[in-house]
Amino acid sequence: MATMLEGLRVVEISSFVAAPLGGMTLAQLGADVVRVDPVGGAADVRRWPLAPSGTSLLWTGMNKGKRSITVDFRSAEGRDVVTRLAADAGIVLTNAVGRPWLSYEALSEARPDLIHLQIEGRHDGSAAVDYTVNAEVGFPFVTGPPDHGAPVNHVLPAWDMACGLYAATGLLAAERRRSRTGEGARIRLPLHDVALAMAGNLGFLAEAQLGHDRERVGNYLFGGFGRDFALAGGRRVMVVALTTRHFADLCEITGLQETVAELERLLGADFGVDGDRYRHREALAALLAPWFAERTLEEVTEAFRGSAVLWAPYRRFTELDLEGDPLIGEIDQPGVGRLRAPASPLDTGTGDRAPVPAPRLGEHTDAVLADLGLDAADVAALRAKGAVA
């Protein structure tokens, strides 16, 4: 898998999550992704969380497998280096704003068939980030406990993640077209559009247009049956019955078939239908809760073994067992040390996926400049002028 995109080079000028994730996705598939930062690093170079050394665990996590070069964006010589890199690679991924010299119009003068993808806040060019976009689109008012009046923000930067994966997909689609037609592409990807598109794709927008204001349901699964349950000993599990078989197995294992059937008769409901399981979720949960409360996690694990019930215990990040997971490998990350880190989740069955550490900031400056045909004297001259670090 690490060679699927061998020969593809991407210049990435970015920070934070969406654009770096797009670049890393391509790097993990074998592309040569050259991350270009200003001297000293971009705004995310010290972004929390931090290792004891002060190294950003976010930065290292989002830049695995890339090469790194640092350039003085304020100098003509530094901007010329970036332009030459873009022309050589032919593909640019960026979320940098306020730099006309990084625009498609400017860079395509050096490479007419350039593929240029610009991540933006909104389509009108105004600024936005994941957390402000999430607030605008409506999700905080359907997140959280039913009796909670204020909006509840999310922790997972879902729109940044979707945006980064859209960016990787868009670049590959444009590169495929260029390979057939020779045409470049200017692609704009507003973060707000990503969130709005997904809200529409998931039915939230249509539901609102049809006059329904989605309710808060806490940890219940909307439109079906699923909820968290407390166990003996203080642990909690999430249980989900997406299908009739899931629900039937849950009732059988808990010994509630007859009780649930009688409840179904009294309510005039059909628990073989998702909607009825959802409408009567609180009654069903009240029947199930005592069974869980009387059992430990080990007992629940044994009871559900081999069944169709979908369930999982709640765990903290510190409780995750990464050893032996095929996604996880051990790397020696500069500035952090030895740690377990994920490779690409795309598994082609070849057994060759393994995580690659993120570079040190500017680690590959000399090598990248050499790829452009600059010799040691040229690099020394650029460094003497402060054009590269």
Side-chain angles (χ1 to χ4, degrees):
M1 185 175 66
T3 61
M4 280 186 168
L5 297 181
E6 186 175 1
L8 187 74
R9 180 171 291 180
V10 179
V11 172
E12 176 195 315
I13 305 109
S14 71
S15 56
F16 299 118
V17 175
L21 175 61
M24 187 177 69
T25 300
L26 300 175
Q28 289 180 325
L29 292 172
D32 177 18
V33 178
V34 180
R35 171 161 174 155
V36 185
D37 278 291
V39 174
D44 59 343
V45 72
R46 294 177 183 84
R47 185 78 172 178
W48 283 29
L50 304 177
S53 65
T55 298
S56 170
L57 298 178
L58 174 71
W59 197 95
T60 55
M62 298 301 298
N63 292 289
K64 294 189 293 292
K66 300 175 187 177
R67 294 200 288 168
S68 172
I69 176 173
T70 55
V71 176
D72 180 10
F73 289 171
R74 296 170 296 180
S75 72
E77 293 87 352
R79 293 195 293 269
D80 180 65
V81 167
V82 179
T83 299
R84 293 178 63 177
L85 278 171
D88 180 66
I91 301 177
V92 172
L93 168 62
T94 185
N95 64 346
V97 295
R99 294 190 174 103
W101 59 276
L102 283 177
S103 68
Y104 169 79
E105 290 77 11
L107 294 177
S108 62
E109 290 183 6
R111 175 79 184 248
D113 66 346
L114 180 73
I115 295 170
H116 185 283
L117 192 147
Q118 174 79 48
I119 293 176
E120 305 172 343
R122 298 185 183 84
H123 203 273
D124 63 4
S126 58
V129 294
D130 185 289
Y131 303 101
T132 61
V133 163
N134 194 62
E136 286 186 287
V137 171
F139 284 91
F141 284 109
V142 297
T143 303
D147 58 352
H148 189 75
V152 176
N153 289 334
H154 63 104
V155 174
L156 183 72
W159 310 124
D160 275 341
M161 293 166 57
C163 187
L165 299 176
Y166 266 120
T169 302
L171 288 176
L172 292 178
E175 200 277 332
R176 184 177 186 276
R177 186 184 72 167
R178 185 173 67 183
S179 70
R180 292 184 292 110
T181 68
E183 295 179 53
R186 180 199 182 199
I187 305 172
R188 297 175 61 203
L189 182 57
L191 184 64
H192 183 271
D193 287 5
V194 170
L196 199 61
M198 290 309 301
N201 297 341
L202 293 169
F204 286 94
L205 301 186
E207 183 182 37
Q209 291 172 72
L210 294 174
H212 181 72
D213 190 9
R214 176 74 68 92
E215 60 189 333
R216 274 189 167 130
V217 294
N219 287 340
Y220 280 104
L221 169 70
F222 177 78
F225 183 76
R227 208 197 78 168
D228 62 311
F229 290 95
L231 307 182
R235 297 294 298 271
R236 299 188 80 87
V237 293
M238 181 68 189
V239 180
V240 177
L242 286 177
T243 69
T244 302
R245 183 191 171 193
H246 297 156
F247 187 69
D249 272 17
L250 178 61
C251 292
E252 180 180 354
I253 291 169
T254 57
L256 291 171
Q257 304 105 305
E258 293 183 6
T259 305
V260 169
E262 179 63 12
L263 177 65
E264 186 177 34
R265 185 188 68 79
L266 290 172
L267 294 172
D270 178 2
F271 290 153
V273 177
D274 286 343
D276 277 8
R277 292 197 295 270
Y278 178 69
R279 292 184 191 94
H280 302 293
R281 60 190 179 278
E282 293 184 355
L284 291 171
L287 291 177
L288 289 162
W291 185 90
F292 287 97
E294 294 168 359
R295 287 164 175 80
T296 64
L297 178 59
E298 290 73 21
E299 290 171 325
V300 170
T301 301
E302 185 58 35
F304 285 161
R305 193 183 308 279
S307 75
V309 178
L310 303 172
W311 75 283
Y314 283 85
R315 292 193 180 103
R316 297 182 180 276
F317 293 116
T318 51
E319 296 177 304
L320 299 183
D321 182 9
L322 303 180
E323 188 171 359
D325 191 303
L327 176 67
I328 304 297
E330 191 169 78
I331 60 175
D332 188 1
Q333 179 58 57
V336 180
R338 302 293 298 183
L339 78 164
R340 294 188 175 100
S344 169
L346 293 167
D347 184 0
T348 62
T350 59
D352 63 351
R353 62 176 179 167
V356 178
R360 293 185 298 273
L361 185 67
E363 177 180 348
H364 302 99
T365 298
D366 287 11
V368 171
L369 294 177
D371 290 344
L372 294 179
L374 278 67
D375 60 24
D378 296 327
V379 175
L382 287 172
R383 187 162 286 122
K385 293 179 181 179
V388 298

